[in-house]
C-alpha cells in the first residue's frame, strides 16, 4: 500500500463539511503556517521537491521563489481548476469529495506567498463543484479561516471562486488570468511571466488543484518527509485518473515509485486489462502527451523497467518515451483504432484552439480534416506524410503549448502506428465500419500489409 | 548599449529593443516580415508567427542557442545575441509553413480584391508561398456582416492579426468590434451587427494587412496600381489628426485618401474619417509632390521613380498610354470576336 497524502480521509463520512474535516486534522497547517515566516514555508516546499501537477511538472518551490515580493505590489495566488484535458478527472474528484483541503491549501499557500487576494478558477462545466467550493469557502469564512485578521494573526485573506465559460485554453495560465480579468481567454505572450506581471498586472502564481492540496501536508510534516516518497526528482504521491480498457478505472493516489506494470496489472490498482484482451497502447498523461505502444509501456527502449515517475516516463525523449503530464492514464486494448483515437484528439484541439496564432488556428483544423479522411477510408499515402509535415510546422512555433499539445499526439501516432494509417489507406473497405478492429484486431490483418513492420520516422 | 548580430550584421541598440526593431534599424533584406506587429499599436504582435527567427546564441552571458524559433517582434535583444533570419534554413522552412497556414483558408480572390497590389499577404506569398496547395478541403467562409457605410469587411480574407481591434482600442473612444468565437471559427465582428461609427475607425482599413477591411468609398473604383499616390495635406479641424495624407489620384480625380505609410507599410500618423472619406476633391488639398515608392512595388510599374523630380499632376495621358499598351499585351478581345477576325 502506498502512502495516502491527499486521499487519506476521503472516505470519512461528512468530510465535505467543515466539522468532520476539522476533526480529522483540518486547518492545522494554517495554524502552523501563521506562526512561520513566509519564506520558510517556501523553503519547505522547495525541499519537498514538489513538482506542479498541472502538466508541465515545474518545481513548485522554485516557481514560488520567482514571485516578485520586492516591488511592493499586491500578490495573488490563483488555483487552476480548469481541468479539461481529455483523460484527466482527478481535480474534480478531489474537489467534490474534500473541498476543504483545497481551501486549506489555498490559505496556507497564500500565507507563503504573502498574498491577500486569491482565486480559484474553475471550469464552467463543473457547476456543481463550484457550489461545493462556495459552500466550503463560506464555512471557512464563518469559522474565521478567511477574511480579516485570520485567527487573530493580523493576516487578511480573501478567497473567491470564479467560473470559466467552458474553454480548455483557459487552463493555460496566462489565458486563465485574462479570463479571470474578464477578457477573452487568449494566452499572453511570455515574457513577462505571471510571477512578475500576472493578474491585474500584479505578481501572480498559478498552481494546479493537486499541487495546492499537497501543501498542507508538506507544511505539517516537512518537505524532507515528502521528498522521501518517490524516486529522485519525482517526489511525493500523484493522483492518476485511469480510464480505458481496464478492470478498475478511477482516481488513484500512487507513490511516484511504483512500476507502470504494477500499476496496470496489479489488483491494488487498475486490475489488469478489461476482459483480458491484449494491451495495445497507452496515453499515460492526458491527451496531449505522446501515445506509447504496448512494447514501450512497461519497458523503456533500453530494456529497463518503466516507472511511474517524471523521468522514467519521459525516458527516450519523444522517440520512445512520453510524459506523465497531468496524470490522465488512458489504456487501450487491441480493439482500439489508433487512427480514430488520433482523429478524436485532433478534433478536440481544433475545437479548443483560441485562434490567436496562425499555425495552431489553421493547422489544428487541417490535421483534423486529414485524419477524418484517413479514418473514413478516403486518405492517401501522401496524407500521412502531409500530416507529419503539418504537425512539425505547428510544434514549437506557437504562442502557447496548445499547439505542441495538438502536434505531439499526431506525431507519436504516426511514429509508432504508421502501419495502421497505411492499413486505412490500403484497405478502405475493411475500415468502413468504425468497429473494424473489434471484429478483426490488428494482429489478424497484419499479414495483409506484408512483412513490413512499423517504420519509425 | 547591447550589441546584437543579425545575419552577420552587428548593431548596437537600446536595451529592451525587439529583434524586429533592431533588424529594421539595420534595414535591407534581413528584416523579418511582419503581418501582425505594428509599431504604433501597443500590444500588437506575436500572433501571425511569420517573423520567427532562430537565435543561435542567446547572449554573452548565456551563449546557448534557444531551442525554439522566437517571434522577433516580441523578443527583446540581449547583449551579444546572434540571430539568424535569411541565413537559417530552419527559419525559411518554418516561414513557408506559416505562409501555407495563412493561405489554406484564404480565398485568394486577389483579382477582385481592392487590397491587391499593396497587400502584405501577396508579398509574403510571392516570397514564401508554394506554387500549388496541399489543402483539399473546402475553404472557410463566414456570413457577411455590415459594419457601416464606410468600411467593408470581408471576413474570409482576414488573417486575424488583431491590428484593427488595437486601433479601435487605442485610437477611438470606444470599441465596437472585436473577435468573436475561437479557433479557426474566430471572426472579426461587431456584436450583433452593430455599425462601427467613430472618427478614427477608418484607420482600421490602413492597418489591415490584407483585404479584409476595405474602403467602401473606393471599392471597385480602380486597381491601386493605376493610381498615383501624392503627398498632400489640409488644415484639419480634428485635434488628433494632422491632415497629412496620401492622395491616390487618376488624372485630376482623387480616388481615395489614405494615411501615409512607411517602408514597412505602417501608418506614420493616423488620420480622421473626415479627411479620409469626405474630401475627394483635389481643391481641398495642398499637394506636396509624388510619394516615393519602393522600386519593386507594383504601383510603381517600373516607371514612376524616374519622374519624382518633376511634379506632374497631368499624368492621365501617360497612364492611359500605359493602359493601352497593357491592353494590347493582355488582349481583351472576346473569344468569338477573335474567331471572326
Ligand atoms: C492548453 C493548456 C491547458 C492547460 N490546462 C490546464 C488545466 O486544465 N489544469 C491545470 O492545472 N493546468 C493546466 N495547464 C497548465 C498550466 O498552464 C500551468 O502550467 C499550471 O496551472 C501550473 O500549475 P502547476 O505548477 O501546479 O502544475 C494547461 C496548459 C496548457 C498549455
Ligand atoms: S497555440 Fe493555439 S491556443 Fe495557444 S495561443 Fe496560439 S492559437 Fe491560441
Ligand atoms: S480584419 Fe484585417 S486588421 Fe482586422 S484582424 Fe483581420 S486581417 Fe487583421
Ligand atoms: S509580426 Fe511577429 S508574430 Fe506577427
Amino acid at each position: 500500500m502506498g502512502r495516502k497524502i491527499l486521499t487519506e480521509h476521503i472516505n470519512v463520512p461528512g468530510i465535505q463539511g467543515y466539522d468532520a474535516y476539522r476533526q480529522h486534522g483540518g486547518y492545522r497547517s494554517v495554524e502552523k503556517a501563521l506562526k512561520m515566516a513566509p519564506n520558510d514555508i517556501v523553503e519547505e516546499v522547495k525541499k519537498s521537491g514538489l513538482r506542479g501537477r498541472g502538466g508541465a511538472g515545474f518545481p513548485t518551490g522554485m516557481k514560488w521563489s520567482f514571485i516578485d515580493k520586492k516591488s511592493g505590489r499586491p500578490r495573488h495566488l490563483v488555483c487552476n481548476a480548469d481541468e479539461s484535458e481529455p483523460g484527466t478527472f482527478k481535480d474534480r474528484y478531489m474537489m467534490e469529495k474534500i473541498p476543504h483541503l483545497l481551501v486549506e491549501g489555498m490559505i496556507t499557500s497564500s500565507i507563503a506567498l504573502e498574498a491577500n487576494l486569491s482565486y480559484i478558477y474553475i471550469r464552467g462545466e463543473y457547476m456543481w463543484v463550484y457550489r461545493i467550493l462556495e459552500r466550503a469557502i463560506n464555512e471557512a469564512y464563518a469559522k474565521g479561516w478567511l477574511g480579516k485578521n485570520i485567527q487573530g494573526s493580523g493576516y487578511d485573506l480573501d478567497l473567491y471562486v470564479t467560473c470559466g465559460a467552458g474553454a480548455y485554453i483557459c487552463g493555460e495560465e496566462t489565458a486563465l488570468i485574462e479570463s479571470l480579468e474578464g477578457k477573452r481567454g487568449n494566452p499572453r505572450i511570455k515574457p513577462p511571466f505571471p510571477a512578475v506581471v500576472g493578474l491585474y498586472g500584479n505578481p501572480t502564481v498559478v498552481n494546479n488543484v493537486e499541487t495546492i492540496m499537497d501543501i498542507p501536508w508538506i507544511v505539517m510534516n516537512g518537505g524532507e518527509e515528502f521528498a522521501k516518497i518517490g524516486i529522485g526528482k519525482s517526489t511525493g504521491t500523484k493522483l492518476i485518473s485511469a480510464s480505458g480498457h481496464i478492470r478498475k478505472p478511477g482516481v488513484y493516489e500512487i507513490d511516484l515509485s511504483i512500476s507502470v506494470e504494477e500499476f496496470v496489472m496489479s489488483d491494488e490498482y487498475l486490475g489488469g486489462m478489461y476482459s483480458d484482451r491484449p494491451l495495445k497502447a497507452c496515453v499515460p498523461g492526458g491527451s496531449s502527451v505522446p501515445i506509447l505502444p504496448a512494447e514501450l509501456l512497461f519497458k523503456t527502449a533500453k530494456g529497463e523497467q518503466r516507472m511511474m515517475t517524471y523521468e522514467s516516463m519521459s525516458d527516450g525523449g519523444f522517440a520512445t518515451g512520453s510524459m506523465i503530464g497531468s496524470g490522465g492514464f488512458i489504456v487501450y486494448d487491441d480493439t482500439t483504432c489508433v487512427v480514430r483515437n488520433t482523429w478524436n484528439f485532433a478534433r478536440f484541439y481544433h475545437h479548443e484552439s483560441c485562434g490567436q496564432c496562425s499555425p495552431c488556428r489553421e493547422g489544428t483544423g487541417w490535421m483534423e480534416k486529414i485524419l477524418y479522411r484517413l479514418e473514413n477510408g478516403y486518405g492517401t499515402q501522401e496524407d500521412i506524410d502531409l500530416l507529419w509535415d503539418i504537425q512539425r510546422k505547428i510544434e514549437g512555433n506557437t504562442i502557447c503549448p496548445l499547439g505542441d499539445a495538438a502536434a505531439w499526439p499526431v506525431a507519436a501516432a504516426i511514429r509508432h502506428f504508421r502501419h495502421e494509417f497505411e492499413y486505412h489507406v490500403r484497405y478502405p473497405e475493411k475500415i468502413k465500419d468504425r468497429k473494424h478492429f473489434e471484429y478483426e484486431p490488428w494482429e489478424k490483418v497484419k499479414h495483409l500489409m506484408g512483412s513490413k513492420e512499423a517504420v519509425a520516422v | 548599449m547591447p550589441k546584437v548580430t543579425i545575419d552577420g550584421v552587428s548593431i548596437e541598440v537600446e536595451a529592451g529593443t525587439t529583434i524586429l526593431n533592431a533588424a529594421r534599424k539595420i534595414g535591407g533584406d534581413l528584416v523579418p516580415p511582419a503581418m501582425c506587429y505594428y509599431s504604433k499599436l501597443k500590444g500588437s504582435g506575436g500572433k501571425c508567427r511569420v517573423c520567427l527567427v532562430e537565435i543561435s546564441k542567446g547572449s554573452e552571458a548565456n551563449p546557448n542557442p534557444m531551442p525554439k524559433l522566437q517571434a522577433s517582434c516580441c523578443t527583446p535583444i540581449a547583449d551579444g545575441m546572434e540571430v539568424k533570419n535569411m541565413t537559417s534554413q530552419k527559419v525559411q522552412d518554418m516561414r513557408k509553413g506559416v505562409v501555407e497556414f495563412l493561405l489554406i483558408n484564404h480565398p485568394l480572390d486577389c483579382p477582385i480584391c481592392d487590397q491587391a497590389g499593396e497587400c502584405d499577404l501577396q508579398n509574403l506569398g510571392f516570397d514564401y508561398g508554394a506554387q500549388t496547395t496541399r489543402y483539399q478541403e473546402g475553404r472557410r467562409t463566414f456570413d457577411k456582416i455590415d459594419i457601416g457605410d464606410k468600411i467593408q469587411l470581408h471576413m474570409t480574407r482576414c488573417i486575424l492579426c488583431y491590428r484593427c481591434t488595437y486601433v479601435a482600442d487605442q485610437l477611438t473612444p470606444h470599441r465596437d468590434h472585436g473577435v468573436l468565437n475561437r479557433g479557426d471559427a474566430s471572426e472579426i465582428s461587431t456584436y450583433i451587427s452593430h455599425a462601427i461609427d467613430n472618427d478614427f475607425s477608418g484607420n482600421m482599413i490602413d492597418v489591415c494587412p490584407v483585404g479584409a477591411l476595405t474602403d467602401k468609398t473606393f471599392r471597385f473604383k480602380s486597381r491601386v496600381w493605376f493610381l498615383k499616390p501624392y503627398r498632400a495635406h489640409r488644415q484639419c479641424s480634428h485635434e488628433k489628426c494632422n491632415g497629412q495624407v496620401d492622395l491616390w489620384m487618376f488624372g485630376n480625380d482623387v480616388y481615395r485618401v489614405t494615411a501615409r505609410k512607411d517602408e514597412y507599410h505602417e501608418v506614420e500618423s493616423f488620420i480622421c474619417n473626415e479627411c479620409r472619406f469626405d474630401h475627394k476633391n483635389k481643391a481641398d488639398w495642398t499637394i506636396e509632390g509624388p510619394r516615393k515608392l519602393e522600386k519593386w512595388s507594383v504601383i510603381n510599374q517600373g516607371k514612376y521613380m524616374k519622374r519624382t523630380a518633376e511634379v506632374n499632376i497631368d499624368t492621365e495621358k501617360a497612364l492611359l498610354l500605359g493602359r493601352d499598351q497593357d491592353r494590347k499585351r493582355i488582349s481583351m478581345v472576346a473569344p468569338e470576336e477573335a474567331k471572326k477576325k
Side-chain angles (χ1 to χ4, degrees):
Chain A
M1 258 325 249
R3 290 290 281 275
K4 296 282 171 273
I5 288 180
L6 300 167
T7 54
E8 191 184 349
H9 300 302
I10 203 127
N11 289 323
V12 172
I15 198 79
Q16 257 204 359
Y18 174 80
D19 294 329
Y21 183 74
R22 178 76 176 141
Q23 268 161 30
H24 287 85
Y27 290 100
R28 286 226 311 274
S29 74
V30 179
E31 287 167 348
K32 184 168 178 192
L34 283 171
K35 294 193 197 98
M36 289 168 76
N39 282 340
D40 290 348
I41 308 178
V42 177
E43 279 312 309
E44 226 34 73
V45 175
K46 265 193 193 164
K47 265 189 252 163
S48 75
L50 172 65
R51 293 169 66 165
R53 305 299 197 218
F58 191 81
T60 307
M62 189 143 42
K63 192 177 198 168
W64 285 12
S65 63
F66 289 153
I67 193 165
D68 177 4
K69 285 187 176 176
K70 287 193 210 84
S71 68
R73 299 192 64 119
R75 286 164 296 276
H76 304 294
L77 170 67
V78 179
C79 172
N80 188 343
D82 191 67
E83 180 175 63
S84 354
E85 176 108 347
T88 312
F89 42 84
K90 62 186 175 70
D91 296 347
R92 166 188 138 187
Y93 174 79
M94 292 304 289
M95 290 186 290
E96 259 179 54
K97 290 268 189 178
I98 184 160
H100 278 285
L101 183 56
L102 180 60
V103 178
E104 179 179 352
M106 285 301 284
I107 303 170
T108 312
S109 311
S110 298
I111 295 170
L113 297 167
E114 298 172 67
N116 301 104
L117 181 56
S118 296
Y119 293 89
I120 299 170
Y121 182 94
I122 192 166
R123 66 185 292 209
E125 291 91 332
Y126 284 178
M127 205 59 203
W128 76 99
V129 188
Y130 169 82
R131 301 217 171 86
I132 294 171
L133 287 176
E134 280 269 88
R135 198 165 60 229
I137 290 175
N138 286 340
E139 280 175 327
Y141 266 107
K143 302 287 176 186
W145 297 106
L146 282 169
K148 292 252 171 298
N149 193 11
I150 293 172
Q151 305 292 322
S153 65
Y155 173 71
D156 308 333
L157 174 68
D158 281 312
L159 178 62
Y160 297 99
V161 40
T162 312
C163 220
Y168 171 63
I169 190 58
C170 290
E172 199 280 337
E173 51 187 3
T174 53
L176 186 153
I177 289 173
E178 288 276 299
S179 173
L180 205 50
E181 288 180 4
K183 300 184 194 143
R184 185 186 158 82
N186 279 359
R188 291 180 183 168
I189 292 150
K190 286 173 268 186
F193 289 93
V196 184
V197 183
L199 186 62
Y200 305 119
N202 298 333
T204 305
V205 165
V206 181
N207 272 131
N208 175 255
V209 173
E210 191 189 340
T211 317
I212 302 235
M213 285 183 169
D214 276 328
I215 302 297
W217 196 92
I218 293 173
V219 169
M220 288 314 292
N221 299 283
E224 266 144 32
E225 202 58 32
F226 190 85
K228 278 187 198 150
I229 313 167
I231 307 174
K233 284 191 179 147
S234 305
T235 57
T237 64
K238 169 101 189 74
L239 294 173
I240 303 284
S241 332
S243 61
H245 298 130
I246 40 173
R247 284 231 169 76
K248 289 164 42 187
V251 176
Y252 292 88
E253 179 168 10
I254 58 160
D255 288 5
L256 286 170
S257 60
I258 62 169
S259 71
V260 179
E261 185 158 10
E262 184 190 346
F263 183 61
V264 178
M265 290 308 178
S266 80
D267 283 334
E268 188 189 338
Y269 298 107
L270 306 190
M273 298 300 291
Y274 184 71
S275 55
D276 286 324
R277 295 205 68 97
L279 171 76
K280 178 175 193 171
C282 172
V283 172
S287 63
S288 309
V289 309
I291 191 168
L292 281 180
E295 64 272 18
L296 287 172
L297 181 62
F298 296 156
K299 293 243 183 312
T300 65
K302 286 185 239 143
E304 289 161 9
Q305 193 168 44
R306 205 184 278 284
M307 312 297 282
M308 294 293 283
T309 65
Y310 288 92
E311 290 78 23
S312 177
M313 206 48 112
S314 54
D315 186 273
F318 280 180
T320 59
S322 185
M323 277 161 75
I324 218 157
S326 59
F329 200 88
I330 315 171
V331 182
Y332 303 102
D333 69 17
D334 64 343
T335 61
T336 319
C337 173
V338 172
V339 179
R340 188 175 181 85
N341 181 61
T342 314
W343 165 64
N344 195 23
F345 284 169
R347 191 171 59 151
F348 173 79
Y349 290 108
H350 173 206
H351 189 252
E352 297 297 337
S353 158
C354 84
Q356 250 193 123
C357 44
S358 348
C360 169
R361 178 182 65 236
E362 307 293 348
T364 50
W366 196 2
M367 289 201 301
E368 189 214 319
K369 286 172 188 154
I370 295 172
L371 281 161
Y372 180 81
R373 262 211 320 266
L374 283 164
E375 160 63 13
N376 288 290
Y378 303 107
T380 61
Q381 199 69 30
E382 291 81 57
D383 281 339
I384 307 173
D385 299 323
L386 177 57
L387 210 50
W388 181 264
D389 198 47
I390 299 173
Q391 69 78 20
R392 190 174 67 86
K393 285 181 171 153
I394 299 175
E395 196 219 320
N397 293 337
T398 53
I399 296 177
C400 85
L402 189 138
D404 305 340
W408 291 338
V410 174
I414 299 179
R415 192 182 291 122
H416 299 303
F417 293 94
R418 199 184 176 96
H419 50 265
E420 268 184 34
F421 286 84
E422 284 172 357
Y423 175 63
H424 278 67
V425 170
R426 281 175 55 190
Y427 296 96
E429 72 290 347
K430 275 193 171 298
I431 51 100
K432 276 270 146 50
D433 190 328
R434 54 179 280 194
K435 290 187 172 167
H436 59 95
F437 275 148
E438 278 175 43
Y439 311 138
E440 281 185 307
W442 170 248
E443 285 303 316
K444 281 202 187 154
V445 294
K446 169 163 118 175
H447 64 277
L448 293 173
M449 302 294 293
S451 62
K452 236 173 33 181
E453 271 298 303
V455 215
V457 190
Chain B
M1 283 203 294
K3 192 174 106 179
V4 52
T5 310
I6 303 170
D7 282 351
V9 186
S10 300
I11 188 171
E12 286 191 1
V13 287
E14 263 170 57
T17 314
T18 60
I19 298 172
L20 183 71
N21 280 331
R24 284 182 176 186
K25 279 224 166 101
I26 301 171
D29 284 344
L30 57 78
V31 185
M35 295 292 282
C36 65
Y37 172 76
Y38 211 75
S39 59
K40 275 107 200 158
L41 298 172
K42 231 177 92 216
S44 65
K47 300 196 178 359
C48 69
R49 317 306 283 178
V50 300
C51 69
L52 292 174
V53 291
E54 184 181 336
I55 298 178
S56 49
K57 180 180 167 193
S59 68
E60 213 56 74
N62 177 12
N64 294 334
M66 294 199 190
K68 285 184 187 179
L69 301 185
Q70 300 290 324
S72 62
C73 66
C74 46
T75 309
I77 54 107
D79 190 31
M81 186 185 263
E82 281 172 24
V83 179
K84 284 185 178 171
N85 176 27
M86 303 307 280
T87 49
S88 162
Q89 196 48 49
K90 196 171 160 202
V91 169
Q92 300 300 307
D93 190 32
M94 287 303 159
R95 198 167 289 154
K96 277 192 188 132
V98 175
V99 174
E100 183 175 26
F101 287 136
L102 286 176
L103 287 175
I104 59 170
N105 276 308
H106 193 82
L108 289 172
D109 55 350
C110 308
I112 54 152
C113 174
D114 286 316
Q115 188 86 5
E118 48 179 19
C119 173
D120 288 337
L121 192 57
Q122 273 186 329
N123 295 349
L124 208 56
F126 189 76
D127 288 338
Y128 295 98
Q131 300 261 327
T132 53
T133 178
R134 300 189 287 177
Y135 185 71
Q136 313 177 1
E137 282 77 14
R139 281 168 202 254
R140 171 179 69 216
T141 54
F142 293 91
D143 291 339
K144 242 197 176 118
I145 63 155
D146 189 5
I147 57 167
D149 60 342
K150 296 284 199 276
I151 305 173
Q152 179 69 37
L153 172 69
H154 282 279
M155 193 48 221
T156 45
R157 295 176 188 155
C158 173
I159 60 151
L160 280 167
C161 69
Y162 283 64
R163 280 180 185 175
C164 56
T165 64
Y166 290 112
V167 166
D169 267 344
Q170 292 167 30
L171 295 172
T172 64
H174 55 95
R175 174 145 72 92
D176 292 320
H177 82 292
V179 181
L180 289 191
N181 301 330
R182 69 178 178 221
D184 62 2
S186 313
E187 62 176 308
I188 295 289
S189 179
T190 55
Y191 190 58
I192 326 189
S193 294
H194 171 67
I196 296 174
D197 179 25
N198 58 57
D199 293 346
F200 268 68
S201 61
N203 291 298
M204 284 162 43
I205 299 167
D206 280 343
V207 301
C208 183
V210 293
L213 295 169
T214 51
D215 183 342
K216 271 195 179 167
T217 63
F218 173 63
R219 247 181 126 213
F220 304 140
K221 292 259 163 56
S222 170
R223 309 266 38 174
V224 291
W225 56 86
F226 291 139
L227 305 177
K228 302 240 150 151
Y230 288 92
R231 294 262 126 130
H233 64 264
R234 67 180 271 276
Q235 208 65 38
C236 180
S237 56
H238 200 291
E239 85 262 33
K240 281 203 237 148
C241 171
N242 60 9
Q244 300 196 346
V245 301
D246 276 349
L247 291 188
W248 296 75
M249 320 239 317
F250 187 75
N252 283 322
D253 296 335
V254 177
Y255 269 64
R256 73 167 174 170
V257 181
T258 66
R260 295 182 181 180
K261 292 193 181 179
D262 64 15
E263 59 180 312
Y264 302 110
H265 309 170
E266 288 189 7
V267 165
E268 283 168 8
S269 61
F270 294 104
I271 61 169
C272 69
N273 282 4
E274 193 193 334
C275 287
R276 184 186 302 272
F277 298 122
D278 302 336
H279 292 276
K280 300 277 177 87
N281 188 350
K282 200 182 124 203
D284 293 347
W285 298 94
T286 315
I287 296 193
E288 295 163 19
R291 183 186 115 182
K292 274 219 171 83
L293 291 165
E294 298 135 352
K295 65 172 183 293
W296 54 82
S297 165
V298 290
I299 300 168
N300 181 23
Q301 293 188 317
K303 301 176 199 125
Y304 192 49
M305 285 293 268
K306 285 180 226 145
R307 277 173 211 246
T308 45
E310 44 177 299
V311 182
N312 180 10
I313 307 225
D314 246 358
T315 49
E316 198 168 4
K317 232 185 277 160
L319 254 174
L320 284 175
L321 182 72
R323 264 195 192 180
D324 241 20
Q325 286 168 349
D326 279 350
R327 228 176 249 139
K328 275 184 202 134
R329 228 176 292 146
I330 301 165
S331 170
M332 289 170 69
V333 194
E336 301 90 67
E337 281 179 38
K339 259 186 230 152
K340 267 183 236 159
K341 277 180 191 168

